[in-house]
Amino acid sequence: MAFHFELLDTDGAARRGRLQTAHGVVETPVFMAVGTQATVKGLTPAQLEAAGVQMVLGNTYHLALRPGSELIAEAGGLHRFMSWARPILTDSGGYQVFSLAANLKIDDRAAVFRSHIDGALLELTPEAAVRIQEELGSDIAMCLDECPGHDAPSESCRAAVRRTLHWAERCRTAHRRADQALFAIVQGGTDLELRRECAEALVALDFPGYALGGFSVGETPQQMVAALEPAAQCLPERKPRYLMGVGRPEDILAAVARGIDMFDCVLPTRNGRNAMAFTAQGPLKLRNACHKRDSGPLESDCACPVCKQFSRAYLHHLFLADEMLGPTLLSLHNVAYYSRLMAEIRRAIAAGTFAEFCAVSLARLGGKI
Amino acid sequence: MAFHFELLDTDGAARRGRLQTAHGVVETPVFMAVGTQATVKGLTPAQLEAAGVQMVLGNTYHLALRPGSELIAEAGGLHRFMSWARPILTDSGGYQVFSLAANLKIDDRAAVFRSHIDGALLELTPEAAVRIQEELGSDIAMCLDECPGHDAPSESCRAAVRRTLHWAERCRTAHRRADQALFAIVQGGTDLELRRECAEALVALDFPGYALGGFSVGETPQQMVAALEPAAQCLPERKPRYLMGVGRPEDILAAVARGIDMFDCVLPTRNGRNAMAFTAQGPLKLRNACHKRDSGPLESDCACPVCKQFSRAYLHHLFLADEMLGPTLLSLHNVAYYSRLMAEIRRAIAAGTFAEFCAVSLARLGGKI
């Protein structure tokens, strides 16, 4: 089945759509749970399904280093290796090379760096990023891009865009798998003219989907939101738009309102491991003593396996007793919370009530954008 | 429903039976997964059920210290607090007071000690051990006993037996809950005459079940096995016999062959967290490089959720990448392995082929008793 995106409804700039992939259908806007090392931390595939997860993200940098994409290919690909039957998106490894690797040297040919695990000298070229993702067998692969920091000087941003475009062409040329869609990444920081140039050049190459990269790298939420709408408007209406590495529920609401279809973020699992639960009324810190005797669930209207079975008092106890079930259960609830949020967003867009849903949700969350 | 034990089959000294408890039926011989702090480490109740767990053990000492039995009683008891609907046995806290607490002072009235968590000065009397377990609401409670070390002088062993008998009477007098069975614990180390005296005195008090305590405290497996049969023979045929804190698969086979019905041990979860998988062919160390590219399951004939879904290569990767899903999945398999072992033991006893099953199993395990 060839990759396909169908735009079903719009409500202002917000969009509801459907991705058809080699591993099934994904309803958008979608949040992808992050499965960096071939596992969404602490959760089994059955738990992810119970939490309503439609799609997971795998990190090419981590998987290429350990256990290696060749080993995963031998095992039948990433889906089979991690026993996840639904769609997977892999990033290109670019972001991690910039944020995790040591001794990075980058030129037009390649990024050369040392592994953060064992110090081995490695290089990543656009062609290698494509080959690795083809070996992983993800449903959506990403072009290798250069992601400068939030405070990079404008000359560096311009150079990063130039290199990102050059690498996108090389990725497109190298890409072979018909059952995998290759998305391009728009860079340009918060310089909207630079983003427009980058987007236009990538759109001319006709990719099946486009990501906005270089957000969530240190800019304020206000800066990000201000840049989102014009950045999204540079992208073709009939192609999916993926905002990489974002974010908090309030960021997702703001980004959907500005035309974004796809998201990923470590927050639900990372915060879950640290005893923070997402709820429609804002975050709960489960270590706090106020939960010690609270027999209620995390959220009274949440249908997730955690809220159906366990009290806040029990979850509080698990964290105080340093029991690994605490991180597992809170990660499970948080991932389910994100799934529910996205389902509610899709319903609101379909009903033409997204602006109202957004206002009510943000007021409940106590968030200000 | 009152507590009841039915002896269904015998095969030599081995017995197959059925426990009726307030939370349902348990087929014996049974292995209880250890849920020290109101959780079997890393596993959800749904995973425990999928692993065939019939009954779990909670530790009174840990639960009394944190979150406190009063809090658990308020929450509706331990079953409801941890969301486990099947039977629970709680120990008396005695063993942990001896092994974990600091500054222990013991006399006939009470054990006085400092909490291993916060150093608080606490005391445990037989009456308190019963009250706490009644608050926890377990299906089977244990009398407070004194458990001397393996190398304790015979005078200390004799004094411990005397105190254990005295405390058993006080526990029996204090015990109120009709939906909870109170078991007595036979002490006496490897001194079989002392064990016989202890057992006879306890049997005269007519408890609904009896445990053998003071094993698995440093004696060799050979010493334990040699003491088991005569110790078990001191106990009434129509009452369940529980060997506390044991053990390895080979220990369980040896103990069932000598008339034991109930077991508990931390090994399946503790070893699972440390990358060791139990299999019918003996243990596997999943960190070993030999598993790196092994696409097979932990055990080809295991029907557990882990063996149905994941390869040894994937589990090896999870441990090398320090992913918490590794400990979770290996704990799940190991608990399922113990459930399967016990089911096979029950089938063999019913078929009158236990001796053969035992010989074949031990040969496969590579164990020598």
Side-chain angles (χ1 to χ4, degrees):
Chain A
M1 168 69 77
F3 180 84
H4 178 68
F5 176 68
E6 191 182 354
L7 189 61
L8 299 172
D9 293 297
T10 58
D11 182 4
R15 304 136 52 89
R16 188 172 77 85
R18 189 170 286 150
L19 288 175
Q20 180 72 55
T21 78
H23 287 85
V25 163
V26 173
E27 304 292 335
T28 67
V30 62
F31 178 83
M32 297 178 282
V34 175
T36 297
Q37 301 191 110
T39 158
V40 175
K41 290 190 188 301
L43 300 178
T44 66
Q47 287 171 325
L48 293 174
E49 286 182 21
V53 172
Q54 298 189 78
M55 190 166 190
V56 305
L57 175 142
N59 285 119
T60 288
Y61 170 84
H62 291 84
L63 294 171
L65 262 51
R66 185 174 57 196
S69 55
E70 196 196 328
L71 184 148
I72 290 178
E74 259 179 53
L78 184 55
H79 291 85
R80 191 149 163 209
F81 185 62
M82 67 186 286
S83 198
W84 173 251
R86 297 182 181 180
I88 297 176
L89 179 146
T90 44
D91 66 5
S92 65
Y95 182 81
Q96 277 72 27
V97 164
F98 291 99
S99 58
L100 290 179
N103 295 58
L104 175 65
K105 281 177 191 162
I106 186 167
D107 60 23
D108 282 351
R109 189 186 66 80
V112 180
F113 57 94
R114 289 195 179 275
S115 157
H116 77 289
I117 298 173
D118 62 4
L121 192 66
L122 300 166
E123 66 167 44
L124 190 61
T125 63
E127 291 76 16
V130 166
R131 176 184 53 74
I132 293 167
Q133 293 179 84
E134 289 190 335
E135 286 176 342
L136 296 174
S138 51
D139 298 279
I140 299 177
M142 302 302 297
C143 289
L144 186 64
D145 61 332
E146 181 177 345
C147 180
H150 159 59
D151 49 3
S154 80
E155 193 161 338
S156 306
C157 280
R158 192 157 285 280
V161 164
R162 193 189 53 73
R163 186 168 287 141
T164 294
L165 290 173
H166 172 56
W167 283 0
E169 283 199 63
R170 282 168 57 187
C171 285
R172 194 167 170 280
T173 303
H175 189 251
R176 292 281 171 275
R177 278 188 82 143
D179 60 350
Q180 183 183 63
L182 179 68
F183 280 24
I185 304 175
V186 179
Q187 289 288 349
T190 47
D191 178 338
L192 292 173
E193 190 43 46
L194 194 54
R195 283 226 176 243
R196 177 176 307 278
E197 282 175 42
C198 186
E200 280 173 2
L202 290 171
V203 169
L205 293 172
D206 193 25
F207 285 90
Y210 295 90
L212 297 175
F215 285 113
S216 209
V217 293
E219 79 283 5
T220 66
Q222 289 73 20
Q223 286 176 307
M224 183 186 79
V225 169
L228 272 184
E229 190 149 16
Q233 280 170 354
C234 302
L235 298 173
E237 193 194 5
R238 300 276 154 185
K239 300 285 175 74
R241 301 161 180 174
Y242 164 29
L243 179 57
M244 302 182 83
V246 174
R248 301 172 304 158
E250 46 269 48
D251 300 328
I252 289 176
L253 287 165
V256 167
R258 287 156 182 85
I260 303 296
D261 307 304
M262 302 171 68
F263 301 89
D264 80 277
C265 189
V266 296
L267 278 181
T269 46
R270 178 179 291 164
N271 287 8
R273 291 196 301 284
N274 292 313
M276 198 219 94
F278 285 95
T279 84
Q281 266 68 41
L284 290 179
K285 292 181 178 170
L286 267 295
R287 287 185 186 276
N288 285 355
C290 62
H291 302 301
K292 186 170 181 182
R293 291 173 184 274
D294 189 339
S295 61
L298 291 172
E299 297 190 274
S300 54
D301 52 355
C302 176
C304 90
V306 180
C307 288
K308 281 192 288 190
Q309 262 194 302
F310 304 103
S311 66
R312 293 179 183 190
Y314 181 63
L315 296 166
H316 172 80
H317 163 69
L318 291 179
F319 278 98
L320 258 62
D322 207 20
E323 281 286 351
M324 60 190 284
L325 193 60
T328 297
L329 292 181
L330 235 53
S331 296
L332 179 54
H333 166 79
N334 284 349
V335 168
Y337 167 84
Y338 269 73
S339 295
R340 193 181 86 213
L341 174 66
M342 303 316 289
E344 288 170 351
I345 286 173
R346 293 192 297 270
R347 274 197 294 276
I349 295 170
T353 58
F354 181 68
E356 188 190 335
F357 172 80
C358 216
V360 170
S361 298
L362 287 174
R364 278 199 195 130
L365 285 166
K368 314 169 269 297
I369 297 290
Chain B
M1 170 67 77
F3 181 83
H4 179 68
F5 177 67
E6 189 181 355
L7 190 60
L8 300 171
D9 293 298
T10 58
D11 182 4
R15 304 136 52 88
R16 187 173 77 86
R18 189 170 288 151
L19 289 175
Q20 180 72 53
T21 78
H23 287 84
V25 164
V26 172
E27 305 291 336
T28 67
V30 63
F31 178 84
M32 296 178 281
V34 175
T36 297
Q37 301 192 109
T39 158
V40 176
K41 289 190 188 301
L43 300 178
T44 66
Q47 287 171 325
L48 293 173
E49 287 182 21
V53 172
Q54 297 188 79
M55 189 166 190
V56 306
L57 175 143
N59 285 118
T60 287
Y61 170 84
H62 291 83
L63 294 171
L65 263 51
R66 187 175 53 197
S69 56
E70 195 196 327
L71 184 147
I72 290 177
E74 259 178 52
L78 184 55
H79 291 85
R80 189 147 164 210
F81 185 62
M82 68 186 286
S83 197
W84 174 250
R86 296 183 182 178
I88 297 176
L89 180 146
T90 44
D91 65 7
S92 66
Y95 181 82
Q96 277 72 29
V97 164
F98 291 99
S99 58
L100 290 179
N103 296 58
L104 176 64
K105 281 177 192 164
I106 186 166
D107 61 21
D108 282 351
R109 189 186 66 80
V112 179
F113 57 93
R114 291 196 178 274
S115 156
H116 77 289
I117 297 173
D118 61 5
L121 191 66
L122 300 166
E123 66 167 44
L124 191 62
T125 63
E127 291 76 15
V130 166
R131 176 184 52 76
I132 293 166
Q133 292 179 84
E134 290 190 333
E135 287 176 339
L136 297 175
S138 51
D139 299 279
I140 300 178
M142 303 301 298
C143 289
L144 187 63
D145 60 333
E146 182 176 346
C147 180
H150 160 60
D151 49 4
S154 78
E155 193 160 336
S156 307
C157 279
R158 191 156 288 277
V161 163
R162 194 189 52 75
R163 186 167 288 141
T164 294
L165 290 173
H166 172 56
W167 284 0
E169 283 198 63
R170 283 169 55 187
C171 285
R172 195 168 168 279
T173 303
H175 189 250
R176 291 282 172 275
R177 279 189 81 142
D179 60 349
Q180 183 183 63
L182 179 68
F183 281 22
I185 304 175
V186 179
Q187 289 288 349
T190 47
D191 179 337
L192 292 174
E193 191 42 49
L194 194 54
R195 283 223 177 245
R196 176 175 308 275
E197 283 175 41
C198 187
E200 280 172 2
L202 291 171
V203 168
L205 294 172
D206 193 25
F207 285 90
Y210 295 90
L212 298 175
F215 284 115
S216 208
V217 293
E219 79 284 3
T220 65
Q222 289 74 20
Q223 287 176 305
M224 181 185 79
V225 169
L228 273 184
E229 192 151 14
Q233 281 169 354
C234 302
L235 298 172
E237 193 194 5
R238 299 277 154 185
K239 300 284 175 74
R241 302 162 180 173
Y242 164 30
L243 179 58
M244 302 182 83
V246 174
R248 300 173 305 159
E250 46 270 47
D251 300 328
I252 289 177
L253 287 164
V256 167
R258 287 156 183 85
I260 303 296
D261 307 305
M262 300 171 67
F263 301 89
D264 80 276
C265 190
V266 296
L267 278 182
T269 44
R270 178 178 292 165
N271 287 8
R273 291 196 300 284
N274 292 313
M276 200 219 93
F278 285 95
T279 83
Q281 267 68 43
L284 290 179
K285 294 181 177 170
L286 267 296
R287 287 184 187 276
N288 285 355
C290 61
H291 302 300
K292 186 169 181 183
R293 292 173 184 272
D294 188 339
S295 61
L298 291 172
E299 296 190 276
S300 54
D301 53 355
C302 176
C304 89
V306 180
C307 288
K308 281 194 288 189
Q309 261 195 303
F310 303 105
S311 65
R312 294 181 182 188
Y314 181 63
L315 296 166
H316 171 80
H317 163 67
L318 291 178
F319 278 99
L320 259 61
D322 206 20
E323 282 286 350
M324 58 191 285
L325 193 60
T328 297
L329 293 181
L330 234 52
S331 296
L332 179 54
H333 167 77
N334 285 349
V335 168
Y337 167 84
Y338 269 74
S339 295
R340 193 181 86 214
L341 174 67
M342 303 315 289
E344 287 170 351
I345 286 173
R346 293 192 298 271
R347 273 197 295 275
I349 295 171
T353 58
F354 181 68
E356 187 188 335
F357 171 80
C358 218
V360 170
S361 298
L362 288 173
R364 277 198 195 132
L365 285 166
K368 316 169 268 298
I369 299 289

